[in-house]
Every structure is written in structure tokens, then in C-alpha cells.
Amino acid sequence: MFGICCNRESDVVHMTYQALYALQHRGQESCGIAVNNDGVIKHYSDVGLVPDVFNARVLGELGTGDMAVGHTRSAVKGELSRQDSQPLYLRHVKGPMALCHNGSIVNARALREAMELKGTVFHTSTDSEVIAYAITHARLRTPSIEAAVVEAMGQLEGAYSLVIMSPRKLIAARDPSGFRPLCIGQLSDGSFIFASESCALDTLGARYLRDVEPGEVVIASPGDGLRSITTHCGTQKLGLCAFEFVYIARPDSVVDGASVHIARQNAGRFLAQDSPVEADVVIGAPDSGLDAALGFSKESGIPYGVGFIKNRYIGRTFIQPDQNQREASVRLKLNALAATVSGKRVVLIDDSIVRGTTISVVVDLLRQAGATEVHVRVAAPPFRYPCYFGVDVDSRESLIANSYTTEEINNIIGADSLAYLSIEAVKKIAPTRSRAFCVGCFTGQYPVPTPQVLPKSRFETGISAQQKEE
Ligand code: SF4
């Protein structure tokens, strides 16, 4: 998710396009850009990766402007559809609006039904459209778009980071728990940027200023500085998603002031302290296990090695639902380096285990490459509960840690030993960040009330924890 507000007409479309490349890891199903030229908003979005959806012709047709927003979407379940892609564009009597959303609203179903009973017609299956209508309905009663956003936030429960573009303003908002990250940056010419992760700022040569605070609404408009509304700040228990540090965010990003790379190394250090093992080499499962492997190596003194080569040309379109084919796709994606592991006792660090499919194949690959022992250390606690806030942690029945003990899982995946990061340790992996994490999928204790029933696909927008196992 990305937004830019310049002081003059600029090539904001290409800047947004570059930023979406940097944020591609946050969503691969669809993407889009909306550009604002003197109050007229043009937009384009479709199913596919950024380079699939945008070519020179499409970017040229979007033209130039003084503001733009962009989005990469991960629809965790359900069908891919162009109409569910973002930015969501609405024409309204108070002016057009383009909205980007990251997260998942837990009361989307109730809000949607209430709106439908009052005659609202929905055109997508997303909870993002519920947010958009909550804002446009509030706009009829409020003096400004930012006041409408503040009023709508009073109705929304759950996870939402938003970037909204109106004819004259670019607005960023974050739910009061701060589940999903959202940062602010600035270009040397004074242009302001909002982005899900700071790696998008680096791509454009922008300076990281700060994060949008949980509950805060930040307004930028061409020619003006930033304004902040803090009405909702401090109204809810804080809970940045711990899984952002474990898996979702890029290691070169800074989230809420903490380096993801350092946090992952800390996870590895804690694993080495709490679950030491005698071994010859430490390797990481690409990509998000690599930093934790480095941390484990530094703490334990066991040499770090490159254990796998990843084929970077396998797209999600290759993935087949059948179990055998899924295992084959892991073998196509990863190959063990015999030069590193042959004849060695190996410590393998993975970022998490969801269903156990991938790790079983990975352990097997290491044994075939000659590893004499394989000790698995997981840089997250066991997944036991669902996520209601934008990450598809799978149904409880599919979570291997929900059905088996650690010892049983160790036998299933064929490792010599298995240990997870503790709940206490995961809370400490980003020490420069003083706020509490959400660790709900590990503990079943969430920062805010959850719905009685699991959210269904038509309301879901977010990151899939299963992606890594497909
Ligand atoms: S339940 Fe888990 S995946 Fe969901 S927001 Fe909380 S920590 Fe993140």
C-alpha cells in the first residue's frame, strides 16, 4: 500500500509503480494505481503481479498528477477477481475517492448487512468496500473527508491501515491497535509518502520520517505540510502483528521503529539460547529463515552456511492444490547445497510451520544431500489459533501444532530434533519497539474482541501464511 502527495504535477504514476515493486511481497494476487490530476482521478487495477498488470501503455494512459495511491493485494481465500483489486475507486456526491486497505475488519459482516438494509449496493466481496462506504456515508454528515474518516473509524473493529486519496488530500489512517504497519516518508523536494513498509521509501530515495501512530489520521495536501488527528489514539489495546517481523515484512524494512532484519536475528539468538544443539553448520530456509539462521549462528558459534538455492522463477500460478504436486513444487523451488550440508550435522532455521508440508520436504532434501543430522529450529511459536486480522493462518484443523505435540511433529517431519521460539521470546525480538505485539495466533489471546464465527472469504483481504507452504 502506497500513497504520494507532491507539491506540483509530477510523474507520480511511475513512482507508485516502483514502490509497488518494492511492496510486491505483501500481495501477489492483484494490484492497482490511482492518480489524481487537478481533482480528476484515473485508476487502473487488475489481477496479477505488478509487471503483469502494468506496461508502458497503461502507465502512459494514467498520465501524471500531484497525488497517487497504489496497492498490491493478497486475497487469502476465494476467487481472484479484478473487481476486488485495489485501489477501490468510488464516485460520490462529495467528490471521488480512491481507497487502499491492508488488514481485515472483524465486524465487516454486520456493517455490510446494516448498509445493505439501508439500500447500499456492494460491487466487490471485500471488507475494504465496507470501509469505503462507512467513510462516504459519514462524509454526508461531516465538514471534511478527514472528519469522515475519523467518524468511520468509530464504527470499524479489527485491523486496518488505510491510504485514501480525495481530489485535494492524501490521508493515512491506522486502527487503534496498529495491527498493520504504515509509515511516513519524505522526498528531498518536500513530497510526502505513506507506505506499508519503509523499503518502498528506500526504493524512491525518500527519507523515513516516522510511523503513523495506532489510531492516528495523518493528512497531506499539495503545498501544505502534514496534519495529524489523534482522536482514536490510545482507545484500544496495542497489538502490531508479530508475524510482520517473523515473515511478512521485508528484512530491509523498519516497522514501528524496529529493523525487521535485527528482529529476525534476535529470534535466532533466542532460539540458540533456549534450544541449543551440537551441530556443524546453521542454515536458513529461504528467504525469511535466513536472518534468524544468522542470529542462531552468531549466538551459538556454529558456522553459518548457505544450505539452499532458491529458484526465483516459480510463480504462484504454478502451484497446484494436490498434495503430491505441492511437494513437487517445493522441490522445484528449493535445492539443497550438498557442498554445505553433506556429512554435516545441520541446524535448519525456518520462520514458521503451518501445515508442516514444506518443512517435511525440506528435511528430506537435506538428508538426500548428505546431512547426517537435521535439527529444526522455528523462529516463531507454534501456530494454534486463527487470525482475524488479515493473515490467513489456516483453519485450526489444518494447523499441525493444533493436532500434534512438538515430539509428534518432529517425527512427522523426519527431523532429529525440533524446537520453537517461545511466546516470551517472540515478544522481545524487537527491543527498540516498546509497544505490545499481537500474538493471538500463538496464544488464542487477541488484543481486541474477535467475531463468534470465522471470517468468510468474501470479507477477507490480507496476507496468507499458507503461501510459504504452497
Ligand atoms: S493473530 Fe497472529 S497473524 Fe493475526 S495479527 Fe495477531 S499475530 Fe498477526
Side-chain angles (χ1 to χ4, degrees), residues 346-367:
V346 175
V347 182
L348 167 67
I349 312 288
D350 203 354
D351 56 69
S352 51
I353 297 180
V354 183
R355 287 177 298 212
T357 316
T358 303
I359 192 72
S360 303
V361 181
V362 166
V363 170
D364 197 36
L365 283 172
L366 289 172
R367 294 211 190 278

mmCIF file of all heavy atoms in Angstrom, residues 346-367:
data_model
loop_
_atom_site.group_PDB
_atom_site.id
_atom_site.type_symbol
_atom_site.label_atom_id
_atom_site.label_comp_id
_atom_site.label_asym_id
_atom_site.label_seq_id
_atom_site.Cartn_x
_atom_site.Cartn_y
_atom_site.Cartn_z
ATOM 1 N N VAL A 346 23.298 -30.640 10.766
ATOM 2 C CA VAL A 346 22.760 -29.358 10.282
ATOM 3 C C VAL A 346 21.688 -28.827 11.230
ATOM 4 O O VAL A 346 20.806 -29.584 11.669
ATOM 5 C CB VAL A 346 22.138 -29.539 8.869
ATOM 6 C CG1 VAL A 346 21.470 -28.248 8.395
ATOM 7 C CG2 VAL A 346 23.202 -29.996 7.880
ATOM 8 N N VAL A 347 21.769 -27.516 11.534
ATOM 9 C CA VAL A 347 20.658 -26.831 12.201
ATOM 10 C C VAL A 347 19.916 -26.065 11.108
ATOM 11 O O VAL A 347 20.512 -25.217 10.436
ATOM 12 C CB VAL A 347 21.128 -25.824 13.269
ATOM 13 C CG1 VAL A 347 19.917 -25.192 13.958
ATOM 14 C CG2 VAL A 347 22.020 -26.490 14.278
ATOM 15 N N LEU A 348 18.652 -26.390 10.909
ATOM 16 C CA LEU A 348 17.837 -25.712 9.896
ATOM 17 C C LEU A 348 16.891 -24.753 10.604
ATOM 18 O O LEU A 348 16.103 -25.168 11.453
ATOM 19 C CB LEU A 348 17.034 -26.746 9.099
ATOM 20 C CG LEU A 348 15.919 -26.177 8.221
ATOM 21 C CD1 LEU A 348 16.480 -25.335 7.084
ATOM 22 C CD2 LEU A 348 15.042 -27.314 7.670
ATOM 23 N N ILE A 349 16.960 -23.470 10.243
ATOM 24 C CA ILE A 349 16.057 -22.480 10.834
ATOM 25 C C ILE A 349 14.977 -22.147 9.826
ATOM 26 O O ILE A 349 15.257 -21.713 8.695
ATOM 27 C CB ILE A 349 16.811 -21.172 11.205
ATOM 28 C CG1 ILE A 349 18.096 -21.466 11.973
ATOM 29 C CG2 ILE A 349 15.880 -20.252 11.985
ATOM 30 C CD1 ILE A 349 17.930 -21.952 13.376
ATOM 31 N N ASP A 350 13.728 -22.327 10.203
ATOM 32 C CA ASP A 350 12.600 -21.905 9.361
ATOM 33 C C ASP A 350 11.826 -20.846 10.134
ATOM 34 O O ASP A 350 11.892 -20.788 11.366
ATOM 35 C CB ASP A 350 11.698 -23.096 9.023
ATOM 36 C CG ASP A 350 10.886 -22.844 7.746
ATOM 37 O OD1 ASP A 350 10.954 -21.717 7.214
ATOM 38 O OD2 ASP A 350 10.186 -23.770 7.303
ATOM 39 N N ASP A 351 11.093 -19.989 9.405
ATOM 40 C CA ASP A 351 10.412 -18.888 10.098
ATOM 41 C C ASP A 351 9.167 -19.351 10.836
ATOM 42 O O ASP A 351 8.796 -18.791 11.856
ATOM 43 C CB ASP A 351 10.064 -17.762 9.119
ATOM 44 C CG ASP A 351 9.243 -18.253 7.970
ATOM 45 O OD1 ASP A 351 8.081 -18.624 8.174
ATOM 46 O OD2 ASP A 351 9.770 -18.295 6.846
ATOM 47 N N SER A 352 8.517 -20.380 10.339
ATOM 48 C CA SER A 352 7.292 -20.862 10.990
ATOM 49 C C SER A 352 6.892 -22.186 10.361
ATOM 50 O O SER A 352 7.343 -22.523 9.261
ATOM 51 C CB SER A 352 6.154 -19.847 10.836
ATOM 52 O OG SER A 352 6.012 -19.483 9.485
ATOM 53 N N ILE A 353 6.049 -22.924 11.072
ATOM 54 C CA ILE A 353 5.482 -24.150 10.496
ATOM 55 C C ILE A 353 3.970 -24.016 10.579
ATOM 56 O O ILE A 353 3.430 -23.771 11.666
ATOM 57 C CB ILE A 353 5.943 -25.419 11.267
ATOM 58 C CG1 ILE A 353 7.462 -25.588 11.162
ATOM 59 C CG2 ILE A 353 5.240 -26.649 10.714
ATOM 60 C CD1 ILE A 353 7.989 -26.819 11.905
ATOM 61 N N VAL A 354 3.306 -24.140 9.442
ATOM 62 C CA VAL A 354 1.843 -24.002 9.425
ATOM 63 C C VAL A 354 1.216 -25.402 9.319
ATOM 64 O O VAL A 354 0.741 -25.962 10.293
ATOM 65 C CB VAL A 354 1.382 -23.079 8.280
ATOM 66 C CG1 VAL A 354 -0.139 -22.887 8.332
ATOM 67 C CG2 VAL A 354 2.087 -21.733 8.363
ATOM 68 N N ARG A 355 1.276 -25.985 8.131
ATOM 69 C CA ARG A 355 0.715 -27.333 7.970
ATOM 70 C C ARG A 355 1.786 -28.416 8.068
ATOM 71 O O ARG A 355 1.476 -29.587 8.199
ATOM 72 C CB ARG A 355 0.021 -27.438 6.611
ATOM 73 C CG ARG A 355 -1.281 -26.688 6.553
ATOM 74 C CD ARG A 355 -1.909 -26.752 5.182
ATOM 75 N NE ARG A 355 -1.046 -26.124 4.197
ATOM 76 C CZ ARG A 355 -1.485 -25.487 3.119
ATOM 77 N NH1 ARG A 355 -2.765 -25.415 2.873
ATOM 78 N NH2 ARG A 355 -0.651 -24.940 2.275
ATOM 79 N N GLY A 356 3.039 -28.019 7.926
ATOM 80 C CA GLY A 356 4.136 -28.988 8.021
ATOM 81 C C GLY A 356 4.544 -29.581 6.696
ATOM 82 O O GLY A 356 5.469 -30.371 6.617
ATOM 83 N N THR A 357 3.855 -29.208 5.626
ATOM 84 C CA THR A 357 4.130 -29.794 4.312
ATOM 85 C C THR A 357 5.526 -29.444 3.823
ATOM 86 O O THR A 357 6.313 -30.324 3.456
ATOM 87 C CB THR A 357 3.116 -29.250 3.272
ATOM 88 O OG1 THR A 357 1.834 -29.258 3.855
ATOM 89 C CG2 THR A 357 3.140 -30.066 2.007
ATOM 90 N N THR A 358 5.828 -28.151 3.846
ATOM 91 C CA THR A 358 7.100 -27.701 3.284
ATOM 92 C C THR A 358 8.275 -28.241 4.081
ATOM 93 O O THR A 358 9.239 -28.754 3.503
ATOM 94 C CB THR A 358 7.152 -26.159 3.261
ATOM 95 O OG1 THR A 358 6.040 -25.689 2.522
ATOM 96 C CG2 THR A 358 8.437 -25.666 2.622
ATOM 97 N N ILE A 359 8.199 -28.137 5.395
ATOM 98 C CA ILE A 359 9.360 -28.484 6.219
ATOM 99 C C ILE A 359 9.705 -29.970 6.076
ATOM 100 O O ILE A 359 10.874 -30.345 6.084
ATOM 101 C CB ILE A 359 9.119 -28.076 7.701
ATOM 102 C CG1 ILE A 359 10.413 -28.164 8.513
ATOM 103 C CG2 ILE A 359 8.019 -28.873 8.339
ATOM 104 C CD1 ILE A 359 11.403 -27.088 8.207
ATOM 105 N N SER A 360 8.682 -30.818 5.893
ATOM 106 C CA SER A 360 8.956 -32.252 5.711
ATOM 107 C C SER A 360 9.808 -32.468 4.462
ATOM 108 O O SER A 360 10.776 -33.247 4.471
ATOM 109 C CB SER A 360 7.642 -33.033 5.546
ATOM 110 O OG SER A 360 6.811 -32.823 6.639
ATOM 111 N N VAL A 361 9.441 -31.787 3.377
ATOM 112 C CA VAL A 361 10.185 -31.937 2.121
ATOM 113 C C VAL A 361 11.590 -31.358 2.266
ATOM 114 O O VAL A 361 12.569 -31.939 1.785
ATOM 115 C CB VAL A 361 9.429 -31.234 0.958
ATOM 116 C CG1 VAL A 361 10.180 -31.413 -0.357
ATOM 117 C CG2 VAL A 361 8.011 -31.773 0.829
ATOM 118 N N VAL A 362 11.676 -30.239 2.978
ATOM 119 C CA VAL A 362 12.967 -29.568 3.145
ATOM 120 C C VAL A 362 13.931 -30.460 3.943
ATOM 121 O O VAL A 362 15.111 -30.593 3.599
ATOM 122 C CB VAL A 362 12.757 -28.196 3.829
ATOM 123 C CG1 VAL A 362 14.069 -27.617 4.321
ATOM 124 C CG2 VAL A 362 12.088 -27.222 2.863
ATOM 125 N N VAL A 363 13.411 -31.079 4.998
ATOM 126 C CA VAL A 363 14.261 -32.001 5.784
ATOM 127 C C VAL A 363 14.720 -33.154 4.898
ATOM 128 O O VAL A 363 15.896 -33.558 4.919
ATOM 129 C CB VAL A 363 13.483 -32.520 7.022
ATOM 130 C CG1 VAL A 363 14.238 -33.657 7.708
ATOM 131 C CG2 VAL A 363 13.225 -31.379 7.999
ATOM 132 N N ASP A 364 13.814 -33.673 4.084
ATOM 133 C CA ASP A 364 14.152 -34.773 3.187
ATOM 134 C C ASP A 364 15.229 -34.351 2.179
ATOM 135 O O ASP A 364 16.164 -35.115 1.888
ATOM 136 C CB ASP A 364 12.859 -35.212 2.462
ATOM 137 C CG ASP A 364 13.011 -36.576 1.840
ATOM 138 O OD1 ASP A 364 13.684 -37.423 2.454
ATOM 139 O OD2 ASP A 364 12.486 -36.784 0.723
ATOM 140 N N LEU A 365 15.101 -33.125 1.677
ATOM 141 C CA LEU A 365 16.103 -32.623 0.724
ATOM 142 C C LEU A 365 17.490 -32.594 1.359
ATOM 143 O O LEU A 365 18.489 -32.944 0.723
ATOM 144 C CB LEU A 365 15.723 -31.202 0.274
ATOM 145 C CG LEU A 365 14.599 -31.058 -0.758
ATOM 146 C CD1 LEU A 365 14.225 -29.592 -0.935
ATOM 147 C CD2 LEU A 365 15.025 -31.649 -2.098
ATOM 148 N N LEU A 366 17.527 -32.183 2.620
ATOM 149 C CA LEU A 366 18.822 -32.098 3.303
ATOM 150 C C LEU A 366 19.428 -33.491 3.503
ATOM 151 O O LEU A 366 20.629 -33.694 3.337
ATOM 152 C CB LEU A 366 18.657 -31.388 4.652
ATOM 153 C CG LEU A 366 18.366 -29.891 4.554
ATOM 154 C CD1 LEU A 366 18.025 -29.322 5.927
ATOM 155 C CD2 LEU A 366 19.561 -29.149 3.965
ATOM 156 N N ARG A 367 18.586 -34.456 3.842
ATOM 157 C CA ARG A 367 19.104 -35.827 4.029
ATOM 158 C C ARG A 367 19.606 -36.378 2.696
ATOM 159 O O ARG A 367 20.670 -37.009 2.643
ATOM 160 C CB ARG A 367 18.013 -36.718 4.610
ATOM 161 C CG ARG A 367 17.601 -36.336 6.030
ATOM 162 C CD ARG A 367 17.153 -37.554 6.806
ATOM 163 N NE ARG A 367 16.546 -37.183 8.080
ATOM 164 C CZ ARG A 367 17.241 -36.893 9.184
ATOM 165 N NH1 ARG A 367 18.547 -36.889 9.177
ATOM 166 N NH2 ARG A 367 16.597 -36.598 10.307
#
